[in-house]
Amino acid sequence: MSDAALIEASLIALDGREAAMRDLLFDRFLARFPERRAIFIHIDATSVRMTDETLQWLYGLAQDRKWVWSQVAELVFNHRNYGELRQDEYDVFVDFAIDALRDTIDTWDAATEGAWRRQAASLKTLIARARAEWAASPLAFS
């Protein structure tokens, strides 16, 4: 089964449990980075968008969708409004999203784990690339 098919099956299994998954994700993320709590004006609204974007990008990468890059680059640029976010914060968020999904749905196996983690590695690489490109651009913070 392809990564895209495995990821899609996981997303279908999540149906109706998205809020529980987001709660796990954000509880874990903010426990790891408590100083970031202050940047969330309305965490319930923000958590929906952040989680959905992350899962969509991972699914898009599994489908070899080219649009993922432009959205990731834009997100990294826009996140400058929240101060300097480190690569490890992005990486942990992606990993915690997958962990929260795994801990929320009933269907998970080694193949599913591998599919998500392979796409996570690709997403982390795109984020690092976007961070480097924005840091080198004339629009970077001085």
Side-chain angles (χ1 to χ4, degrees):
M1 192 176 259
S2 71
D3 282 3
L6 290 163
I7 287 172
E8 182 176 2
S10 301
L11 295 173
I12 291 168
L14 182 62
D15 187 39
R17 294 187 261 177
E18 296 88 354
M21 185 242 172
R22 285 191 306 273
D23 288 346
L24 276 176
L25 167 56
F26 278 81
D27 286 349
R28 292 169 179 174
F29 183 78
L30 293 173
R32 175 78 177 268
F33 300 103
E35 69 280 7
R36 289 297 178 198
R37 185 174 296 280
I39 67 173
F40 293 101
I41 296 168
H42 193 280
I43 197 162
D44 290 335
T46 306
S47 69
V48 171
R49 181 174 181 183
M50 289 176 63
T51 305
D52 287 353
E53 286 174 337
T54 302
L55 296 176
Q56 288 169 14
W57 294 335
L58 292 165
Y59 185 43
L61 286 168
Q63 296 174 312
D64 198 30
R65 301 292 187 210
K66 303 305 179 209
W67 54 261
V68 176
W69 163 246
S70 62
Q71 287 189 10
V72 168
E74 179 183 4
L75 172 115
V76 168
F77 178 79
N78 288 335
H79 273 158
R80 299 174 326 142
N81 295 319
Y82 305 109
E84 179 62 31
L85 300 178
R86 300 179 318 269
Q87 183 68 39
D88 69 306
E89 292 176 274
Y90 287 105
D91 291 351
V92 166
F93 188 85
V94 172
D95 288 338
F96 281 4
I98 296 168
D99 294 347
L101 175 64
R102 177 198 62 218
D103 295 345
T104 303
I105 65 173
D106 299 325
T107 57
W108 197 269
D109 58 20
T112 302
E113 178 82 19
W116 282 101
R117 298 301 174 182
R118 280 187 293 278
Q119 301 316 312
S122 296
L123 179 55
K124 292 173 191 180
T125 298
L126 288 181
I127 292 168
R129 176 180 155 203
R131 291 181 75 244
E133 288 184 13
W134 283 118
S137 81
L139 300 173
F141 285 126
S142 36

